[in-house]
Amino acid sequence: MSDAPTYRGRFAPTPSGPLHFGSIVAALASWLAARSRNGQWWLRIEDLDRQRLRPDAESSILNTLEHLGLHWDGPMLRQSERLVHYQAALERLLREGLAYPCGCSRADLVEGCYPGTCRSGLPEGRQIRSWRFRVPDGEVTFIDRIRGELTIDVAHSSGDFVIKRADGYFAYHLAVVLDDALCGMTDIVRGADLIDSTPRHILLQQALGLPTPTYAHTPVVLGDDGRKLSKHLGAPPPVLSDPGTVLHDALSFLGQRPPAALRSAAPARVLAWASENWDEAVIPRLDQASERWH
Ligand code: GLU
């Protein structure tokens, strides 16, 4: 009998700054999705892009999760320690003709889509800058547990995408797909800002013979200016002084109805209520017609 978990999820922050309210919402949703199913919840630090790292961000993130009572299972992983897996996958894709070296830069994209200039070899005089995944023709359809069925034609929206960058770093898309599969993730819950990436991840999973987990993309928290909060800009919520209220607010944002009496309660009490009453069906979803969360 296999001892594979029936549910294993994760939170995968980039240590580019302290967690803001939007990243706490995503962490809480993935924690609750796991705990409400008696599943595991792992933590992975996505520290590949050294340019984006901020000193102390990792310790601040861990401290915030601990204050909120969002405890994780398994070993904490750091992507910077897993380069050997990414390199092996890149070599396999190259061997199988599913990836190729590319000499183009952003300036060569046409309306955000790579036109395939280096698909059948580098043009004369171009040097290798990056490596791209060869995207097959056709649409990718998947069911998002919050948004429902989504279909994207990757070949026409982004085209062949970078899996190892010109600056030498492995791209997020390759690393996330390998880590989720190698760590046995069954269910991914993350912010909807990443929803456009999911079809690319599914294509990479298929090319590498890896299983596709289920996906749920939680609504993005917008700042007063109507833009997504970012780790280095957003004001940090009062996690240290009042973690119960932060959890209460995050639950309300996710459409849950925590009792008012739990506001400011100890995190363990708020989380016990939330694990018991977690309901993915009431999470606000994007209205495709108006492109607004409601
Ligand atoms: N590292 C990404 C972020 O901090 C999340 C990646 C993921 O959950 O797949 O936004």
Side-chain angles (χ1 to χ4, degrees), residues 27-49:
L28 177 63
S30 79
W31 190 91
L32 285 169
R35 295 302 186 225
S36 64
R37 293 170 176 83
N38 289 322
Q40 294 184 353
W41 191 68
W42 287 29
L43 180 62
R44 180 171 74 232
I45 301 293
E46 302 215 317
D47 58 351
L48 282 183
D49 182 342

Side-chain angles (χ1 to χ4, degrees), residues 10-209:
R10 58 29 168 212
F11 179 51
T14 302
S16 53
L19 294 184
H20 54 68
F21 183 66
S23 32
I24 290 172
V25 164
L28 177 63
S30 79
W31 190 91
L32 285 169
R35 295 302 186 225
S36 64
R37 293 170 176 83
N38 289 322
Q40 294 184 353
W41 191 68
W42 287 29
L43 180 62
R44 180 171 74 232
I45 301 293
E46 302 215 317
D47 58 351
L48 282 183
D49 182 342
R50 314 305 286 177
Q51 248 67 270
R52 290 182 65 203
L53 304 190
R54 292 286 170 272
D56 302 334
E58 181 183 310
S59 58
S60 155
I61 290 171
L62 302 187
N63 198 22
T64 297
L65 293 175
E66 273 161 12
H67 268 84
L68 292 171
L70 300 177
H71 302 302
W72 57 94
D73 308 297
M76 185 190 86
L77 304 182
R78 278 194 198 86
Q79 287 190 321
S80 56
E81 293 165 4
R82 301 173 59 75
L83 304 184
V84 58
H85 298 292
Y86 314 142
Q87 184 62 33
L90 173 64
E91 283 167 19
R92 174 176 162 185
L93 292 171
L94 285 168
R95 243 185 352 259
E96 295 178 4
L98 298 172
Y100 60 88
C102 176
C104 299
S105 68
R106 258 174 212 283
D108 295 291
L109 301 184
V110 180
E111 289 173 11
C113 187
Y114 181 65
T117 317
C118 300
R119 258 200 155 200
S120 38
L122 285 185
E124 275 286 309
R126 289 244 172 156
Q127 307 281 338
I128 299 180
R129 287 173 53 88
S130 59
W131 281 261
R132 285 183 188 270
F133 175 65
R134 194 182 294 277
V135 171
D137 282 333
E139 295 181 326
V140 180
T141 295
F142 70 100
I143 313 269
D144 181 272
R145 297 211 306 264
I146 298 171
R147 296 266 305 261
E149 187 175 292
L150 293 162
T151 297
I152 302 190
D153 184 336
V154 181
H156 287 97
S157 54
S158 59
D160 296 345
F161 55 88
V162 171
I163 50 178
K164 188 170 186 190
R165 300 169 11 176
D167 54 16
Y169 298 130
F170 287 97
Y172 158 70
H173 301 305
L174 183 67
V176 78
V177 159
L178 286 164
D179 287 336
D180 285 342
L182 294 176
C183 298
M185 294 301 150
T186 60
D187 299 79
I188 307 303
V189 179
R190 61 184 174 196
D193 51 315
L194 292 165
I195 203 162
D196 289 347
S197 300
T198 300
R200 283 176 258 184
H201 298 173
I202 292 172
L203 290 176
L204 275 174
Q205 287 151 2
Q206 291 169 350
L208 290 163

Side-chain angles (χ1 to χ4, degrees), residues 20-23 25 192-193 218-230 233-235 253 286 290-294:
H20 54 68
F21 183 66
S23 32
V25 164
D193 51 315
T218 55
V220 170
V221 179
L222 302 178
D224 293 339
D225 58 358
R227 296 172 57 184
K228 177 184 170 286
L229 297 182
S230 71
L233 293 178
F253 181 82
L286 187 69
S290 67
E291 286 295 296
R292 278 179 206 284
W293 295 103
H294 65 103

